Amino acid sequence: MNIETTRMIIRDFTPEDAADLHEIFGDDETMENCEPAYNFEKTKEFLTSFCIGRKGAVASVHKESNKVIGYILFNEADEGVYEMGWIYNRSFWRQGYAYESCKAVIDYAFGELKAHKVFAEAIDTVIGYSAFNILENGHEIGYCFHSAYHGKGYAKESHLALIDYMRQL
């Protein structure tokens, strides 16, 4: 994948991305609602085996600095159905980079890959300028948001069903 937006480049990960990815996955606050922060070796192993080996995620690169500031999970869960998720470097939060990048990946999924559904999950305790902003503002970019709460306690999940807007045009 190679997508360019105004401020970002979304591309496949390379081994050289380990240090930038570790700034994301090694940060306790960033990883607070995911899993414990990774040490550098675990980050390198994840990068090699999953991001590169399985092509399970793409890098979100800040054009101005050429730094990987985001990890975007993106893979085909079923025929024409893609799973998406994202984690961004805390230094770049609340500046619209995740929204810009994820919108570009969603557009690519529907336009180039002819996806009929893209879904994402977000923990509902992470509200504010979080994943929920991207999910709930999907209508602004031509998609529909559907919530499905399940489970007990704080770890409820919301699902985003991104309906193929191409059919609506």
Side-chain angles (χ1 to χ4, degrees):
M1 179 181 300
N2 193 358
I3 303 169
E4 191 168 329
T5 70
T6 305
R7 302 178 298 164
M8 305 299 295
I9 296 170
I10 296 91
R11 59 155 173 83
D12 293 334
F13 275 103
T14 68
E16 292 76 26
D17 296 328
D20 288 345
L21 187 61
H22 184 64
E23 283 185 34
I24 300 167
F25 285 178
D27 182 69
D28 287 325
E29 186 175 340
T30 300
M31 299 296 285
E32 179 180 5
N33 292 293
C34 298
E35 58 184 284
Y38 289 13
N39 63 32
F40 189 67
E41 287 305 312
K42 185 172 181 177
T43 300
K44 284 195 316 186
E45 171 58 29
F46 182 77
L47 173 66
T48 302
S49 65
F50 183 76
C51 299
I52 297 171
R54 290 184 43 204
K55 293 192 178 279
V58 291
S60 183
V61 181
H62 185 250
K63 274 186 184 177
E64 188 176 303
S65 64
N66 201 34
K67 177 181 188 61
V68 173
I69 65 165
Y71 157 91
I72 301 176
L73 168 76
F74 184 73
N75 55 64
E76 194 169 24
D78 202 356
E79 188 176 336
V81 177
Y82 291 84
E83 176 184 21
M84 189 174 181
W86 51 92
I87 304 173
Y88 273 72
N89 184 313
R90 188 163 38 101
S91 298
F92 294 87
W93 287 1
R94 296 183 174 98
Q95 297 175 55
Y97 294 115
Y99 183 87
E100 182 177 328
S101 299
C102 290
K103 178 190 180 311
V105 172
I106 291 165
D107 287 344
Y108 175 82
F110 288 124
E112 299 298 318
L113 301 177
K114 307 302 181 206
H116 60 85
K117 181 179 179 182
V118 175
F119 70 92
E121 295 180 349
I123 297 171
D124 71 352
T125 58
V126 187
I127 300 185
Y129 287 100
S130 66
F132 274 87
N133 268 354
I134 294 169
L135 299 179
E136 292 175 335
N137 289 322
H139 67 278
E140 294 177 8
I141 55 176
Y143 308 109
C144 301
F145 175 71
H146 300 278
S147 289
Y149 294 101
H150 56 88
K152 294 184 178 180
Y154 71 90
K156 296 177 184 174
E157 297 175 342
S158 275
H159 296 265
L160 171 66
L162 301 170
I163 309 304
D164 183 357
Y165 71 96
M166 301 293 279
R167 289 183 284 175
Q168 300 172 15
L169 298 176

